[in-house]
Amino acid sequence: PGRVVWGACDPVVPAHPFGPLVDIAQQVGGEFGDVFRRGVPREVHEAFLHLLRGHDGPRVVVLDDMQWADDATLDLVRVVGRRLRSVAGLIIVILRDDDLHPGHPVRLALGDLPATSTTTLTVPGLSRSAVEALTAGTPIDGAALHAATGGNPFYVTEVVAAGCDDVPVTVRDAVLARANRLPTTGRAVLHV
């Protein structure tokens, strides 16, 4: 197996148990895949640590879209995260935190990790000059796009890929999906 493996959570309810490990088990197979298919949490935790300690050198595991993580995956992060000092590997947890309330399960799981084992990086929005560089040679007004999107990389790249000033369907659908996850009162306020 390669030195970098990647797994992602999905925006489904209820969340799939060990969601990102399904992807990882398909990539690495072998003993990890066998243990994962049995589904015994403690064994999965141990196999995951063994995977990180791979004999072929340091390994990087990326867990993407963790804002949608299930309880089993968050428990894995807690257990493995507390043992990272003994591992020559790296776990990268990627999440959108813009709508995670302070008591959100992923915030609590990450808060349970030793501060010496974690580093938090926040990806800022694209600058006006970056948006203008991305729109150079297109009919899109980069300054107006930056003002409309706040430099959100997803929105900017989708508009640039669509090649027009209209809101692409992908952006419209993403915004509607997020709005529909709001409580009824939140959706009412947004509608107003």
Side-chain angles (χ1 to χ4, degrees):
R3 291 178 184 255
V4 177
V5 291
W6 194 293
C9 299
D10 296 305
V12 296
V13 177
H16 297 139
F18 288 124
L21 296 191
V22 172
D23 299 334
I24 293 169
Q26 290 174 349
Q27 293 168 53
V28 301
E31 183 182 338
F32 180 78
D34 293 341
V35 171
F36 175 71
R37 279 187 287 283
R38 283 196 301 271
V40 178
R42 179 71 180 171
E43 291 178 9
V44 172
H45 299 167
E46 291 171 12
F48 191 85
L49 277 165
H50 182 73
L51 179 70
L52 282 171
R53 292 183 180 117
H55 67 279
D56 58 349
R59 182 175 310 275
V60 176
V61 176
V62 180
L63 303 175
D64 200 357
D65 283 325
M66 287 291 285
Q67 70 274 8
W68 297 317
D70 62 287
D71 291 337
T73 301
L74 294 176
D75 285 345
L76 173 89
V77 168
R78 285 180 175 101
V79 170
V80 172
R82 298 182 61 78
R83 289 158 179 78
L84 283 177
R85 283 177 268 141
S86 67
V87 176
L90 172 68
I91 300 174
I92 299 173
V93 173
I94 301 172
L95 61 100
R96 287 193 316 240
D97 68 351
D98 54 343
D99 59 352
L100 299 184
H101 58 82
H104 191 281
V106 74
R107 285 197 188 274
L108 299 176
L110 295 174
D112 287 339
L113 301 178
T116 56
S117 297
T118 64
T119 300
T120 301
L121 303 174
T122 301
V123 179
L126 299 171
S127 67
R128 179 178 168 170
S129 61
V131 174
E132 288 174 341
L134 288 170
T135 58
T138 72
I140 301 167
D141 179 345
L145 180 58
H146 182 266
T149 63
N152 179 299
F154 171 72
Y155 298 146
V156 170
T157 56
E158 291 297 310
V159 170
V160 171
C164 61
D165 285 329
D166 292 335
V167 177
V169 171
T170 54
V171 171
R172 189 175 313 121
D173 288 348
V175 171
L176 289 173
R178 291 184 80 181
N180 282 328
R181 285 193 290 271
L182 292 172
T184 305
T185 53
R187 285 193 309 271
V189 169
L190 184 62
H191 180 73
V192 170

